[in-house]
Amino acid sequence: VPHDFAYAHFPRVSSMRRVLEATEKWGGHLLSAYTLNGRDERLRQKIEGQLLLATTPELDPFYDLVTDGIAVVASDPFFAEGTDVTVVFRVRNQLLFGAKIDLGRRSAVSTATGKLSLTQEQYREWQIDGVASSDRSVSSYVASKGDLAIVSSSPAAIRKVVDAADGLAPSMAASEDFRAMRATLPYA
């Protein structure tokens, strides 16, 4: 993860889903007291739809079987305004995980009401496959290598995460503050 990104780590996808559900339930009520419009932005649904990643209780056993940790990262904290969102998975079974991601992407393409652009880019040793609509309601870029799978709403953000993963850019894991925090609060 790039050193200057916002970061949240979860040991399992089911843990992330439960935190997001609690945030929707309680965070929306708290934030609406401080906003002028009082709208529910439905951020989770927008982001999941944009990335073509669904998190439902029915999928928990699958994700918990094929992944071994997840990080949700963004280059800035302004989610409601439309920041990039990148999800980094530590994958136990790349074949099954890749098939699930591919199935979701194929389904989006086959059911799309508007035009979707499909892209492929070779970025050093990583292949980045993209699906995007002109209004960015769908904007999903995927790359995987070894035990990492990365899904991002931004081609620029996925390249930054890939650079950090390859050790070609400063990473959060290499920062003194992060290492001190992880020594105090190790992953569960």
Side-chain angles (χ1 to χ4, degrees):
V1 174
H3 75 288
D4 56 351
F5 273 36
Y7 161 90
H9 174 266
F10 303 92
R12 291 177 301 286
V13 172
S14 58
S15 302
M16 178 196 68
R17 184 187 51 74
R18 288 193 300 275
V19 167
L20 292 175
E21 286 173 354
T23 302
E24 285 175 334
K25 188 179 290 182
W26 295 100
H29 296 301
L30 294 172
L31 290 176
S32 67
Y34 297 100
T35 60
L36 296 176
N37 61 21
R39 290 188 309 220
D40 176 7
E41 299 289 346
R42 302 185 59 81
L43 288 177
R44 179 177 164 203
Q45 290 82 1
K46 285 181 184 177
I47 291 169
E48 285 182 0
Q50 186 179 39
L51 292 174
L52 304 175
L53 285 175
T55 58
T56 63
E58 298 78 26
L59 290 172
D60 284 352
F62 171 79
Y63 281 123
D64 290 347
L65 177 70
V66 302
T67 64
D68 192 30
I70 179 174
V72 179
V73 302
S75 63
D76 65 57
F78 303 109
F79 290 93
E81 291 78 8
T83 189
D84 56 72
V85 176
T86 302
V87 183
V88 181
F89 296 91
R90 177 93 39 209
V91 179
R92 291 182 192 155
N93 188 321
Q94 192 67 258
L95 183 64
L96 286 176
F97 183 83
K100 172 68 178 119
I101 295 295
D102 191 49
L103 181 64
R105 297 164 74 74
R106 287 177 189 269
S107 175
V109 169
S110 68
T111 60
T113 55
K115 183 180 177 197
L116 292 179
S117 300
L118 303 175
T119 61
Q120 277 192 335
E121 170 191 354
Q122 190 67 36
Y123 186 68
R124 290 193 314 275
E125 297 175 10
W126 299 73
Q127 179 172 309
I128 301 173
D129 295 317
V131 178
S133 60
S134 59
D135 66 356
R136 290 186 43 89
S137 61
V138 173
S139 183
S140 178
Y141 299 86
V142 177
S144 60
K145 182 173 105 175
D147 66 346
L148 285 182
I150 305 166
V151 181
S152 182
S153 63
S154 162
I158 202 168
R159 285 188 216 99
K160 288 180 182 179
V161 172
V162 163
D163 289 345
D166 285 345
L168 301 174
S171 72
M172 189 175 292
S175 78
E176 292 293 327
D177 290 339
F178 186 80
R179 288 199 312 251
M181 188 264 307
R182 284 280 53 113
T184 304
L185 302 167
Y187 291 123

